[in-house]
């Protein structure tokens, strides 16, 4: 084990007070649930159910929602089993409530990475198999899981070049963590040599594709959807989704150009982080007199030019309302792209910028099939937003995107087949603890 890992594990034995301070501050600013705060320290209101328990750990909203089809598959195949889903970001609670996961899926918040909280978590839930989503690594949690002999899977992970360069600086800890996994299920071939260079066993790696391509459509309340459609009427609509603050000036410029062509056009702007809504509104009001916001419960009327959808867990509404969607975090230098499949699943035509390294394989496949359109500037964004208001021009793009999704449905089978081999055929064994750092 590397010296840095040893140092981190030592810190995790005394960092509890610091975590309490951080989480109290997060509660004050609304980023944490005070009711569920005990879960962060390994205290839970419900007991572990009997039988096999499969545990998935994810970071935030997108990752939790991407796991739902796999969770449903697990529970279909194992009618007596339960799934435990842990997440770090508090916003995932809102999104999961709206998405309505299966009855035998239990959501709790991920424990802070202290020895006490992690051990209480593992003592309480005693998972039979652990699936860690993506590249969100918590050393104490993972090392304690491995020490208890729980089979560990890395699910739907990728290693973009930027992440590889950053993680090479911590080669020792990366080698320690990657060596814990029994299987590593990756999205693309380009990631394989990077994982191997960081210490993963090449014989344990499988390339199965992006799990998000098999995600089920995001939910939307019918009443809310009908009301918004009534407010919009027959106006042309386009959406900028999951945007970064650095993209908002270009988006404002693009919409000004759209309005020159289609004066009645409406832009829905759904920033990735709702905290960016104030700054986004300031940019937009420099060009547009009529801006409304979801958080202020303002309506869309006939003169509204921009509607800022600064809410959590409502992307299913916006993709249903907009026939054309720019998927953000992709236009400005240094960004790395966001998931295009949420829009595709709801029939919205995808535009994206050139910065898509986090979803490079997905966008490459979509581009080859004509299932998404890359734009490099505000002018290109505007011209495509205008052109794709035509259903005839959208049709071939949507057909290409649908073909890509259809071709990749095997990712769910491949991921579950790999995990199923580790699932015990009998009830869960008694908890085992191995001491030491």
């Amino acid at each position: 084990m590397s010296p840095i890992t040893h140092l981190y594990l030592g810190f995790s034995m005394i960092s509890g007070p610091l975590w309490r301070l951080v989480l109290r501050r997060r509660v004050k600013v609304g980023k944490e649930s005070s009711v569920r705060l005990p879960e962060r320290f390994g205290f839970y209101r419900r007991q572990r159910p009997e039988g096999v328990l499969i545990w998935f750990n994810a970071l935030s909203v997108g990752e939790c929602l991407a796991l739902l089809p796999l969770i449903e598959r697990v529970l279909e195949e194992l009618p007596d089993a339960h799934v435990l889903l842990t997440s770090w970001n508090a916003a995932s609670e809102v999104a999961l409530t709206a998405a309505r996961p299966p009855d035998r899926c239990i959501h709790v918040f991920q424990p802070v990475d202290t020895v006490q909280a992690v051990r209480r978590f593992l003592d309480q839930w005693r998972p039979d198999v652990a699936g860690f989503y993506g590249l969100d690594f918590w050393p104490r949690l993972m090392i304690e899981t491995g020490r208890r002999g729980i089979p560990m899977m890395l699910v739907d992970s990728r290693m973009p070049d930027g992440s590889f360069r950053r993680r090479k600086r911590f080669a020792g800890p990366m080698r320690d963590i990657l060596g814990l996994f029994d299987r590593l299920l990756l999205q693309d071939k380009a990631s394989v040599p990077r994982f191997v260079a960081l210490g993963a066993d090449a014989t344990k790696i499988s390339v199965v594709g992006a799990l998000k391509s098999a995600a089920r459509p995001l939910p939307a309340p019918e009443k809310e959807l009908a009301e918004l459609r009534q407010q919009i009427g027959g106006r042309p609509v386009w959406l900028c989704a999951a945007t970064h603050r650095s993209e908002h000036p270009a988006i404002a410029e693009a919409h000004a150009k759209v309005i020159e062509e289609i004066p009645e056009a409406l832009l829905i702007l759904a920033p990735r982080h709702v905290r960016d809504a104030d700054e986004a509104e300031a940019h937009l009001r420099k060009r547009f007199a009529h801006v409304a916001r979801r958080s202020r419960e303002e309506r869309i009327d006939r003169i509204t030019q921009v509607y800022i959808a600064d809410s959590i867990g409502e992307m299913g509404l916006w993709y249903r309302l907009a026939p054309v969607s720019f998927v953000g975090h992709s236009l400005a230098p240094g960004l790395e792209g966001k998931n295009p499949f949420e829009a595709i699943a709801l029939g919205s035509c995808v535009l994206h910028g050139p910065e898509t390294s986090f979803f490079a394989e997905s966008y490459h496949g979509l581009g080859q099939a004509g299932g998404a359109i890359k734009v490099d500037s505000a002018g290109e964004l505007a011209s495509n937003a205008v052109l794709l208001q035509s259903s005839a021009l959208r049709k071939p793009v949507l057909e290409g995107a649908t073909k890509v999704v259809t071709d990749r449905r095997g990712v769910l089978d491949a991921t579950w087949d790999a995990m199923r081999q580790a699932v015990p055929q009998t009830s869960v064994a008694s908890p085992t603890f191995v001491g030491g750092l």
Side-chain angles (χ1 to χ4, degrees):
M1 190 176 291
S2 73
I4 295 177
T5 304
H6 268 296
L7 183 64
Y8 179 90
L9 294 180
F11 177 71
S12 76
M13 300 183 74
I14 60 172
S15 58
L18 178 60
W19 275 113
R20 288 185 176 86
L21 177 63
V22 169
L23 291 173
R24 285 195 197 104
R25 288 180 176 176
R26 285 175 60 85
V27 168
K28 287 181 180 179
V29 298
K31 293 184 178 180
E32 202 75 34
S33 167
S34 60
V35 174
R36 299 186 63 177
L37 199 60
E39 295 177 12
R40 298 295 196 183
F41 299 95
F43 299 102
Y44 308 94
R45 288 179 291 180
R46 66 176 296 172
Q47 296 299 309
R48 183 199 191 281
E50 295 295 326
V52 171
L53 183 74
I54 311 297
W55 167 36
F56 290 104
N57 186 70
L59 175 64
S60 187
V61 173
E63 291 79 5
C64 288
L65 296 180
L67 282 168
L68 287 182
L70 180 59
I71 290 171
E72 290 169 347
R73 180 67 176 274
V74 169
L75 296 177
E76 287 172 6
E77 297 271 343
L78 304 174
D80 297 323
H82 287 75
V83 166
L84 178 70
L85 175 60
T86 55
S87 63
W88 179 258
N89 195 312
S92 57
E93 178 184 16
V94 178
L96 285 169
T97 299
R100 297 181 181 178
D103 290 340
R104 287 181 286 126
C105 176
I106 304 164
H107 171 255
V108 299
F109 285 116
Q110 178 188 325
V112 296
D113 214 34
T114 67
V115 64
Q116 299 90 347
V118 166
R119 288 179 180 173
R120 278 194 290 263
F121 167 82
L122 292 171
D123 288 344
Q124 164 85 4
W125 297 107
R126 307 190 307 279
D128 294 282
V129 181
F132 292 89
Y133 188 106
L135 279 176
D136 186 42
F137 289 176
W138 296 85
R140 173 60 76 175
L141 180 63
M142 291 177 162
I143 288 171
E144 291 287 339
T145 301
R147 284 175 172 168
R148 298 187 183 213
I150 300 166
M152 294 173 59
M153 311 284 171
L154 187 63
V155 177
D156 200 36
S157 194
R158 63 193 184 278
M159 184 73 69
D161 187 57
S163 292
F164 177 60
R165 290 195 302 270
R166 290 190 295 270
R167 289 171 187 269
K168 279 199 300 185
R169 301 171 192 166
F170 302 96
M174 285 300 299
R175 184 176 58 251
D176 295 335
I177 297 300
L178 291 174
L180 295 169
F181 290 102
D182 297 89
R183 295 289 299 275
L184 298 93
L185 309 178
L186 307 186
Q187 291 186 14
D188 55 68
K189 293 180 181 178
S191 294
V192 174
R194 295 167 187 160
F195 272 95
V196 173
L198 290 173
D201 184 342
T203 65
K204 297 179 179 180
I205 294 176
S206 299
V207 177
V208 299
L211 196 59
K212 286 184 177 180
S213 65
R216 69 187 192 186
L218 296 174
E222 288 297 328
K223 183 179 178 181
E224 293 280 346
L225 184 60
E227 183 177 339
L228 286 163
R229 281 179 171 154
Q230 184 179 29
Q231 292 176 27
I232 293 169
R235 297 176 60 186
V237 182
W238 71 295
L239 168 69
C240 289
T243 56
H244 187 267
R245 58 191 299 184
S246 62
E247 297 173 300
H248 294 156
I251 289 169
E253 180 183 347
H255 190 51
K257 294 178 184 295
V258 169
I259 286 180
E260 288 176 6
E261 298 289 329
I262 313 175
E264 68 274 23
L266 171 70
L267 166 65
I268 299 175
L269 176 68
R272 172 69 174 172
H273 299 294
V274 295
R275 64 176 179 267
D276 293 335
D278 288 341
E279 185 178 331
E281 183 178 8
H283 280 299
L284 292 162
R285 287 197 178 277
K286 293 176 184 177
R287 290 179 176 266
F288 310 106
H290 305 288
V291 178
R293 277 177 68 166
R294 182 75 167 169
S295 61
R296 292 199 291 257
E297 299 184 357
E298 295 170 344
R299 291 175 58 83
I300 299 170
D301 58 33
R302 61 182 180 80
I303 62 171
T304 303
Q305 296 164 301
V306 182
Y307 186 67
I308 301 176
D310 52 339
S311 58
I312 295 172
E314 293 192 318
M315 283 306 303
L317 285 172
W318 318 131
Y319 283 129
R320 283 176 171 85
L321 292 168
V324 183
S325 295
F326 167 70
V327 180
H329 262 73
S330 63
L331 191 58
L335 302 178
E336 295 171 312
K338 291 297 176 184
N339 175 22
F341 295 109
E342 292 176 345
I344 291 167
L346 292 170
S348 191
C349 220
V350 170
L351 306 175
H352 65 91
E355 306 294 330
T356 57
S357 61
F358 271 14
F359 290 87
E361 188 269 342
S362 297
Y363 279 109
H364 177 71
L366 287 167
Q368 284 189 320
I373 298 173
K374 181 170 77 74
V375 298
D376 293 302
S377 65
E380 290 184 8
L381 179 57
S383 61
N384 281 281
V386 170
L387 288 171
L388 292 171
Q389 293 301 319
S390 163
S391 59
L393 294 178
R394 289 197 305 273
K395 183 179 178 182
V397 182
L398 292 172
E399 287 176 347
T402 300
K403 183 179 185 305
V404 170
V405 172
T406 301
D407 291 345
R408 295 181 178 208
R409 282 182 179 153
V411 63
L412 208 58
D413 295 331
T415 302
W416 172 233
D417 286 346
M419 295 196 69
R420 180 166 48 189
Q421 298 174 27
V423 177
Q425 300 302 309
T426 58
S427 182
V428 63
S430 300
T432 303
F433 172 70
V434 181
L437 278 179

